[in-house]
């Protein structure tokens, strides 16, 4: 068996980690990992199945029931998380490049992701280190000592998506470890490499054997087994609505805790007064581009619905389309590239289908809507698609209702504040949204009325690890990040101590 500190490049396809060992799949199956910029394989991983999943869960169960981690002092757990953050900083360039090649994003985006991952580990380290050991409850008597304490849930199953592989993994792993849990993670089968690398860093930082497990493999085998497994105490899933519903159904059989982050259809509301000055107009247009086209729109909080006041629509959309045409597409590792490919041929085909349906339903194409011509920085086999702006859209269009997860921006218009709010809330999702206005009172009113888990005012996309992330409606249940993100990985226990026990005499016999 491979040693747990063996570098990934030398480990080859042994990417299943269970009980402190790196293993090949029990079936011997492997999967090629493709670079989405040219569709060529550049790594090989194990293709695990239910048997491998059972092995990893058993190791995590033993580590939780019999190992030291759940009982390790909080200060020591926090110190380990800080060591992990330091290792992430040390390996920033290597991991940023790996994230770029794996997911197709630019190297600079990959580097920023690594910074955010390190921030998450540091935040949860500081959060648990600064907590009181328990919440004292006033029982109304000096003879009673009553306290509510928090304990780890147990074995946590984590299922993460392909768009932000390491970032989404860290939002689950960091609070789970801070709380004293063990875990088994299943990264997306098409972007698993940085999550595998993170397991190496956890081991290097000194995490006890068996606490961290990973099974690389598909959702219908590995993910499904994790969700239903009787020895798993919590399942945390980030991904699509259909898959998330299946996870919740499977988890319900064993009544385990469930946390689901299921994406969104996020409105970016622009009032005319935000565009009254040249600077305001330029900023709002620039941020609308960022909202829709960062990482080729493959972001759960992407501002893919531009809802702009009618009086400035034509000027705004014309400038938006002009700038969108100039976005430099290419391989994320190339200097000067601003936007990479989609993650897979399947994702590009899905995007093309959305655009075709929108045009058939009456949308007006302002730019994009096709694959770009191949070039030295855009190999012919890559999954590239031009940033696309669709004007004159309405709520009945499929492209407006459903999550595209591609570089597609739809444009709707409004005349009144009430109409803007109604449009922004007219979605079955509720993850994030933004309002652009120079009127401070309007900003607060609209933000208060939007039914979305995060609302930005005159900004789009930033998040803070100390602020909860999650959504309303079909965007999911539970929260990641912030104190509530830590609470997801804990159970509350009330300890009631009678300091002067005496007979109750309820029964007289």
């Amino acid at each position: 068996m491979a040693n747990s500190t063996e570098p990934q490049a030398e480990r080859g396809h042994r990417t299943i980690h269970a009980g402190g060992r790196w293993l090949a799949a029990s079936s011997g199956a492997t999967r090629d990992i493709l670079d989405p910029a040219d569709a060529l394989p550049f790594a090989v991983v194990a293709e695990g199945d239910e048997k491998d999943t059972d092995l990893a869960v058993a190791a995590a169960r033993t580590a939780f029931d019999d190992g030291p981690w759940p009982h390790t002092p909080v200060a020591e757990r926090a110190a380990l998380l800080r060591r992990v953050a330091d290792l992430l900083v040390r390996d920033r360039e290597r991991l940023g490049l790996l994230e770029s090649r794996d997911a197709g994003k630019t190297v600079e985006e990959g580097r920023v992701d690594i910074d955010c991952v390190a921030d998450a580990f540091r935040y949860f380290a500081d959060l648990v280190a600064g907590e009181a050991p328990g919440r004292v409850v006033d029982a109304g008597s000096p003879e009673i000592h009553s306290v509510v304490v928090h304990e780890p849930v147990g074995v946590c199953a984590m299922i993460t998506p392909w768009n932000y592989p390491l970032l989404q993994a860290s939002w689950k792993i960091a609070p789970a470890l801070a709380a004293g849990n063990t875990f088994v993670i299943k990264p997306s089968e098409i972007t698993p490499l940085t999550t595998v690398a993170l397991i190496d860093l956890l081991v290097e930082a000194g995490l006890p054997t068996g606490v961290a497990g990973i099974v690389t493999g598909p959702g219908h085998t590995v993910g499904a087994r994790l969700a239903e497994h009787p020895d798993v105490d919590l399942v945390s899933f980030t991904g699509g609505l259909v898959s998330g519903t299946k996870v919740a159904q499977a988890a319900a059989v064993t009544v385990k805790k469930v946390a689901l982050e299921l994406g969104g259809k996020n409105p970016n509301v622009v009032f005319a007064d935000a565009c009254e000055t040249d600077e305001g107009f330029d900023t709002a247009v620039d941020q609308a581009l960022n909202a829709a086209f960062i990482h080729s729109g493959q972001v759960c909080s992407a501002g893919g619905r531009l809802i702009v006041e009618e009086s400035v629509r034509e000027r705004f959309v014309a400038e938006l389309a002009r700038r969108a045409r100039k976005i430099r597409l290419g391989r994320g590792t190339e200097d000067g590239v601003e936007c990479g490919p989609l993650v897979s041929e399947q994702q590009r085909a899905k995007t093309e289908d959305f655009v075709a349906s929108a045009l058939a339903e009456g949308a007006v194409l302002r730019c994009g809507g096709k694959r770009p011509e191949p070039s030295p920085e855009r190999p012919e086999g890559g999954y590239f698609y031009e940033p696309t702006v669709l004007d004159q859209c309405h709520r009945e269009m499929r492209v407006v209702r459903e999550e595209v997860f591609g570089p597609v921006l739809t444009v709707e218009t409004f005349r009144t504040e009430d109409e803007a709010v109604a449009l922004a809330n007219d979605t079955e999702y509720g993850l994030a949204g933004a309002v652009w206005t120079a009127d401070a009172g309007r900003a607060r009113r609209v933000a208060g009325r939007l039914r979305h888990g995060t609302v930005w005012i005159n900004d789009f996309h930033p998040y803070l690890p100390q602020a909860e992330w999650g959504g309303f409606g079909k965007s999911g249940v539970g929260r990641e990040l912030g104190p509530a993100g830590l609470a997801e990985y804990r159970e509350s226990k009330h300890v009631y101590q009678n300091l002067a026990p005496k007979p109750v005499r309820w029964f007289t016999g």
Side-chain angles (χ1 to χ4, degrees):
M1 297 298 179
N3 185 276
S4 61
T5 59
E6 185 178 8
Q8 183 178 333
E10 299 174 14
R11 190 164 59 240
H13 61 270
R14 288 170 290 176
T15 53
I16 295 170
H17 193 262
R21 301 179 297 171
W22 286 106
L23 308 168
S26 58
S27 67
T30 61
R31 174 186 290 265
D32 288 337
I33 302 302
L34 306 183
D35 185 332
D38 55 22
L40 297 177
F42 72 101
V44 179
V45 297
E47 183 85 330
D49 57 19
E50 295 90 344
K51 183 176 180 181
D52 302 300
T53 306
D54 287 347
L55 179 66
V57 170
R61 183 82 263 168
T62 297
F64 183 80
D65 293 341
D66 303 324
W69 186 247
H71 314 290
T72 298
V74 168
E76 293 183 26
R77 294 204 299 263
L80 184 136
L81 265 62
R82 293 190 186 100
R83 289 197 296 274
V84 174
D86 291 342
L87 293 173
L88 286 160
V89 172
R90 181 197 69 186
D91 292 351
R92 180 177 186 260
E93 289 300 313
R94 175 178 70 88
L95 294 174
L97 177 61
L98 188 59
E99 197 79 325
S100 172
R101 293 203 67 189
D102 209 7
K105 61 184 64 181
T106 66
V107 172
E108 185 55 35
E109 287 179 86
R111 294 186 186 112
V112 171
D113 285 358
I114 306 309
D115 294 339
C116 292
V117 171
D119 288 345
F121 274 89
R122 289 198 180 97
Y123 167 71
F124 284 108
D126 293 344
L127 182 61
V128 294
E131 285 185 321
R135 176 171 58 89
V136 176
V137 178
D138 185 0
S141 169
E143 296 179 346
I144 302 298
H145 180 262
S146 181
V147 62
V148 175
V149 297
H150 301 292
E151 297 182 356
V153 170
V155 176
C156 301
M158 304 167 180
I159 304 171
T160 54
W162 47 259
N163 59 332
Y164 284 86
L166 196 59
L167 185 64
Q168 292 292 334
S170 73
W171 288 11
K172 302 178 191 301
I173 291 174
L177 292 179
N181 298 283
T182 63
F183 72 87
V184 176
I185 190 167
K186 189 208 89 67
S188 167
E189 57 269 34
I190 58 177
T191 58
L193 299 180
T194 51
T195 309
V196 172
L198 178 59
I199 302 298
D200 276 332
L201 297 188
L202 293 174
V203 173
E204 183 179 350
L207 193 67
T209 297
V211 173
I214 183 171
V215 182
T216 49
H220 70 272
T221 54
V222 178
R225 182 58 180 154
L226 284 172
E228 70 181 11
H229 203 294
D231 283 338
V232 166
D233 301 296
L234 172 150
V235 57
S236 178
F237 172 88
T238 300
L241 177 59
V242 173
S243 297
T245 301
K246 292 179 181 178
V247 166
Q249 290 170 339
V253 177
T254 52
V255 200
K256 55 172 61 71
K257 291 187 71 174
V258 176
L260 304 172
E261 202 267 82
L262 305 178
K265 193 65 182 175
N266 312 290
N268 185 22
V269 180
V270 179
F271 285 89
D273 63 12
C275 304
E276 289 178 348
T277 67
D278 289 343
E279 182 181 3
F281 177 78
D282 175 69
T283 300
V285 172
D286 175 78
Q287 289 275 14
L289 288 170
N290 292 341
F293 300 131
I294 286 289
H295 192 19
S296 295
Q298 299 170 119
V299 185
C300 60
S301 57
R305 289 181 69 200
L306 174 63
I307 302 174
V308 60
E309 192 164 353
E310 189 174 278
S311 62
V312 295
R313 181 193 66 82
E314 181 53 39
R315 178 187 176 213
F316 197 97
V317 175
E319 179 63 11
L320 184 72
R322 186 190 71 81
R323 296 190 194 186
R325 293 187 196 100
K326 297 175 69 175
I327 292 174
R328 185 177 174 188
L329 295 179
R331 186 189 293 272
T333 55
E334 295 288 332
D335 290 340
V337 165
E338 298 171 321
C339 200
L342 294 173
V343 76
S344 66
E345 178 56 41
Q346 179 185 16
Q347 196 62 28
R348 182 169 63 177
K350 177 184 173 184
T351 301
E352 291 174 326
D353 182 60
F354 268 110
V355 173
S357 71
L359 297 176
E361 292 173 325
V364 175
L365 182 67
R366 299 294 293 260
C367 70
K370 65 183 188 298
R371 303 180 184 188
E373 292 296 322
S375 69
E377 61 191 20
R378 291 192 301 270
E380 186 171 0
Y383 310 129
F384 296 98
Y385 194 78
E386 292 183 356
T388 299
V389 177
L390 296 170
D391 199 3
Q392 298 183 28
C393 295
H394 53 78
R395 180 67 180 86
E396 287 69 35
M397 291 178 175
R398 176 170 163 253
V399 73
V400 174
R401 298 192 313 270
E402 299 179 21
E403 191 174 33
V404 178
F405 241 63
V408 177
L409 177 66
T410 62
V411 181
E412 302 163 78
T413 58
F414 67 91
R415 293 182 179 180
T416 68
E417 182 177 312
D418 285 345
E419 186 181 2
V421 171
L423 283 171
N425 284 337
D426 189 11
T427 171
E428 63 182 1
Y429 295 101
L431 182 61
V435 54
W436 289 83
T437 178
D439 185 330
R442 171 183 283 161
R444 289 191 293 271
R445 286 195 307 272
V446 174
R449 295 174 66 188
L450 292 183
R451 296 282 296 170
H452 299 273
T454 292
V455 176
W456 295 289
I457 297 174
N458 297 335
D459 211 328
F460 210 102
H461 275 319
Y463 78 93
L464 301 172
Q466 59 267 38
E468 280 76 1
W469 180 265
F472 295 10
K474 291 185 179 179
S475 283
V477 295
R479 291 293 184 269
E480 295 188 295
L481 303 178
L486 178 63
E488 294 286 351
Y489 293 91
R490 285 174 159 175
E491 295 282 13
S492 296
K493 177 185 287 185
H494 178 206
V495 180
Y496 179 104
Q497 182 180 7
N498 190 335
L499 302 175
K502 53 183 177 293
V504 176
R505 305 301 185 193
W506 186 273
F507 302 104
T508 58

